[in-house]
């Protein structure tokens, strides 16, 4: 700690910036590591594992089709009203796309704020008699209340085919995206596990992290700059069915890619990603200090990350940080990345528009992201499954790799039940009166199994 403080002090006295960083020297000589130039002079390190597939099999079963029908209404006071329409999408509700209609059935809605959003015209209450007084015999005429117009209304009506993804399917690719201060090395256990199962795995290093190039301008680390890098990486390695796995800040990039490529994203996993809120840098943060000061505080920041990111702070956890190159970035990159977390589009409506199945993994002892934020995310998303690991913290994929790998594999193999095929009546001869009397009646029309499963999933 003393050496770090002296280096930062000399940096301040010499009036030199500590942002002169270069890509870390990669000692990996094995196949699987590539350096991709996404833009001139902007090079990212990518670990790309393509396993040998001696025998390719077709996807087992047709999979299930999930109907995604919901209406999202946003009011000027910030309230969010979500209706899961199911199979009943009438022309009257679809007309709300222009902001003319109000929610008709508040019981089916899923409010987005912590309070209750029952009546969209909340704000004025009906006059009630004082305590101890009798109710008037003559009913009072309904008071005229000003009709509130929604600020924005979004109607989603689509169907998604969700099938099982096995490692022997050549059209499946897994993308792992780390967060601030991490690197692709934090996914070592997951990459080894899924590559042995035959999956194609892609893990990029964000700019300034790991062995990727570290530009000397702060604008290179904004959310949009990093998201554009990942968009180019995704277009380079994407298959027909792609599964995104993000951690912390990387969850926001997964959500961004799911909106950019809705037809190619098959499933998504969010590990300690937080709530569905728009990103905005904090004005009162330690990362707003000058770079030379952060350089002096680097040992203290690393110790704070170890204490808050792991459930236990022992020799094993310290070794994990060193081996997996976690929280090992320059102060300039750290400061620029934290200050560049500006993403106003990523609000609750943006997340509620997602129709991809999502697995939420949360470590119980996480001190960075409270569990209430992941619970809120599960309420907003259409198809979300929240799993809480009691022995994990923010870096749960490094603390409990076996449990995380099992959860991810089960979710990747999951598929909704397929709808039963319709029975076609066979007529071999003209129908007579005797034939009509003995023929079995046709089964009544029932709700498909996929529709029932959609309604149950959306309530989680």
């Amino acid at each position: 700690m003393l050496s770090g403080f002296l280096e930062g002090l000399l940096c301040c006295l010499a009036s030199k910036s500590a942002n002169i960083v270069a890509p870390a020297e990669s000692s990996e000589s094995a196949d699987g590591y590539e350096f991709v130039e996404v833009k001139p002079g902007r090079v990212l390190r990518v670990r790309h594992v393509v396993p040998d597939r001696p025998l390719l099999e077709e996807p087992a079963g047709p999979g299930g089709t999930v109907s995604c029908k919901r209406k999202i209404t946003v009011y000027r006071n910030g309230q969010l009203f979500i209706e899961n329409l199911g199979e009943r999408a009438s022309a009257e509700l679809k007309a709300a796309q222009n902001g003319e209609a109000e929610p008709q059935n508040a019981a089916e809605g899923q409010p987005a704020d912590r309070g209750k959003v029952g009546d969209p015209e909340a704000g004025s209450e009906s006059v009630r008699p004082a305590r101890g007084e009798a109710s008037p015999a003559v009913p009072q005429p309904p008071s005229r209340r000003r009709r509130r117009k929604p600020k924005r209304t979004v109607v989603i009506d689509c169907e998604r085919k969700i099938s099982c993804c096995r490692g022997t399917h050549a059209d499946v690719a897994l993308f792992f995206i780390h967060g601030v201060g991490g690197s692709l090395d934090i996914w070592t256990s997951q990459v080894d596990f899924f590559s042995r199962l035959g999956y194609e795995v892609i893990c990029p290093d964000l700019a300034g992290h790991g062995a990727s190039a570290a530009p000397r301008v702060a604008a290179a680390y904004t959310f949009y700059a990093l998201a554009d890098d990942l968009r180019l990486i995704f277009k380079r390695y994407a298959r027909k069915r792609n599964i995104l796995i993000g951690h912390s800040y990387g969850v926001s990039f997964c959500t961004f890619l799911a909106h950019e490529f809705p037809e190619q994203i098959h499933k998504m996993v969010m590990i300690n990603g937080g709530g569905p809120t728009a990103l905005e840098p904090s004005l009162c943060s330690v990362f707003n200090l000058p770079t030379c000061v952060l350089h002096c505080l680097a040992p203290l920041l690393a110790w704070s990350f170890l204490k808050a990111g792991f459930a236990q702070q022992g020799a094993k956890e310290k070794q994990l940080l060193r081996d997996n190159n976690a929280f090992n970035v320059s102060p300039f990159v750290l400061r620029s990345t934290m200050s560049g977390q500006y993403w106003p589009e990523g609000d609750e409506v943006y997340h509620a528009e997602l129709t991809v199945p999502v697995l939420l993994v949360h470590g119980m002892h996480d001190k960075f992201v409270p569990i209430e934020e992941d619970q809120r995310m599960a309420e907003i998303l259409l198809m979300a499954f929240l799993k809480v690991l009691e022995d994990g913290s923010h870096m749960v994929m490094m603390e409990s790799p076996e449990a995380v790998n099992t959860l991810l594999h089960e979710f990747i193999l999951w598929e909704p039940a397929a709808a039963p095929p319709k029975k076609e009546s066979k007529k071999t001869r003209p129908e007579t009166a005797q034939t009509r009397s003995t023929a079995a009646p046709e089964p009544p029309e029932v709700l498909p199994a996929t529709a029932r499963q959609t309604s149950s999933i959306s309530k989680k």
Side-chain angles (χ1 to χ4, degrees):
M1 181 179 296
L2 181 60
S3 61
F5 176 78
L6 292 177
E7 292 178 2
L9 183 60
L10 292 175
C11 173
C12 294
L13 294 177
S15 300
K16 293 182 179 180
S17 177
N19 61 353
I20 303 178
V21 290
E25 295 182 0
S26 179
S27 59
E28 296 88 359
S29 58
D31 295 336
Y33 290 90
E34 303 174 2
F35 287 88
V36 181
E37 188 175 17
V38 292
K39 293 180 180 179
R42 194 175 178 97
V43 181
L44 302 183
R45 182 182 68 155
V46 179
R47 185 177 182 184
H48 184 205
V49 181
V50 182
D52 296 331
R53 298 188 182 97
L55 178 62
L56 299 180
E57 62 181 33
E58 295 297 327
T65 302
V66 177
S67 177
C68 307
K69 296 182 180 180
R70 61 186 345 199
K71 185 179 72 171
I72 308 169
T73 306
V74 186
Y75 292 91
R76 298 187 183 278
N77 60 352
Q79 288 182 333
L80 193 68
F81 190 88
I82 300 178
E83 289 180 287
N84 294 318
L85 306 180
E87 297 296 325
R88 302 184 300 105
S90 61
E92 179 182 353
L93 291 177
K94 288 184 178 180
Q97 206 165 9
N98 299 327
E100 301 172 357
E102 295 285 332
Q104 300 293 330
N105 189 359
E108 295 182 359
Q110 185 177 351
D113 56 354
R114 301 290 181 185
K116 181 179 180 181
V117 187
D119 189 0
E121 301 175 2
S124 60
E125 300 179 356
S126 58
V127 179
R128 298 181 180 179
R131 183 174 299 177
E133 296 182 2
S135 301
V138 181
Q140 296 289 338
S143 59
R144 293 184 178 181
R145 291 183 295 181
R146 186 177 180 181
R147 191 174 182 85
R148 293 177 56 194
K149 290 185 177 181
K151 179 180 178 181
R152 179 186 176 192
T153 302
V154 180
V155 176
I156 303 174
D157 188 358
C158 64
E159 289 186 352
R160 292 190 65 98
K161 182 178 179 182
I162 305 170
S163 58
C164 173
C165 298
R166 299 184 181 275
T168 52
H169 299 161
D171 62 342
V172 177
L174 308 183
F175 287 82
F176 291 86
I177 304 177
H178 66 84
V180 180
S183 69
L184 60 84
D185 298 317
I186 67 174
W187 303 106
T188 300
S189 300
Q190 286 70 42
V191 172
D192 295 341
F193 176 81
F194 286 102
S195 61
R196 286 196 301 266
L197 293 177
Y199 288 93
E200 182 177 357
V201 179
I202 300 95
C203 289
D205 270 335
L206 297 180
H209 296 70
S212 294
R216 303 180 184 182
V217 292
Y221 304 99
T222 62
F223 173 84
Y224 295 102
L226 298 177
D228 193 49
D229 293 343
L230 295 175
R231 177 182 12 210
L232 297 175
I233 293 294
F234 180 83
K235 292 175 65 175
R236 178 186 177 95
Y237 296 99
R239 300 298 180 185
K240 184 178 180 180
R241 294 183 295 171
N242 304 278
I243 300 176
L244 305 179
I245 301 98
H247 170 252
S248 191
Y249 192 30
V251 169
S252 299
F253 299 116
C254 292
T255 306
F256 173 82
L257 293 176
H259 269 273
E260 291 289 314
F261 307 96
E263 301 298 329
Q264 294 179 266
I265 306 300
H266 197 65
K267 297 175 183 177
M268 189 163 61
V269 180
M270 300 180 176
I271 303 178
N272 293 326
T277 56
L279 297 181
E280 188 175 10
S282 177
L283 298 178
C284 300
S285 175
V286 67
F287 299 104
N288 292 331
L289 296 174
T291 303
C292 57
V293 177
L294 290 179
H295 190 81
C296 299
L297 300 177
L300 180 60
L301 294 176
W303 177 82
S304 301
F305 178 80
L306 175 64
K307 187 175 181 179
F310 290 87
Q312 299 179 0
Q313 298 81 35
K316 177 183 176 182
E317 287 72 23
K318 294 180 181 180
Q319 189 65 30
L320 284 175
L321 285 179
R322 289 192 292 266
D323 295 343
N324 295 305
N325 200 20
F327 208 75
N328 186 22
V329 296
S330 70
F332 173 76
V333 173
L334 183 61
R335 181 179 186 272
S336 302
T337 305
M338 295 297 295
S339 302
Q341 292 184 357
Y342 179 72
W343 185 37
E345 294 86 2
D347 56 1
E348 290 187 338
V349 179
Y350 190 89
H351 288 80
E353 291 176 347
L354 291 177
T355 59
V356 59
V358 179
L359 172 65
L360 298 168
V361 181
H362 182 85
M364 179 62 73
H365 302 280
D366 190 355
K367 298 181 179 62
F368 290 109
V369 179
I371 191 174
E372 289 79 12
E373 293 191 12
D374 278 332
Q375 290 174 344
R376 183 63 183 155
M377 181 74 80
E379 295 175 0
I380 292 297
L381 297 175
L382 177 67
M383 290 180 288
F385 308 89
L386 176 60
K387 300 294 183 180
V388 180
L389 297 181
E390 298 182 356
D391 298 333
S393 184
H394 192 67
M395 308 298 292
V396 63
M397 64 280 185
M398 297 170 59
E399 296 174 294
S400 305
E402 295 82 5
V404 172
N405 294 340
T406 302
L407 287 177
L408 267 60
H409 194 208
E410 291 177 353
F411 179 67
I412 291 173
L413 298 179
W414 169 79
E415 64 179 4
K422 297 182 179 179
K423 296 183 180 179
E424 298 180 358
S425 59
K426 298 181 180 180
K427 295 182 179 180
T428 57
R429 57 181 177 177
E431 187 178 4
T432 60
Q434 183 178 2
T435 307
R436 285 197 299 269
S437 62
T438 59
E442 295 183 0
E445 186 177 357
V446 297
L447 192 64
T450 54
R452 293 195 299 270
Q453 186 165 356
T454 305
S455 61
S456 62
I457 290 176
S458 61
K459 293 179 182 179
K460 295 185 179 179

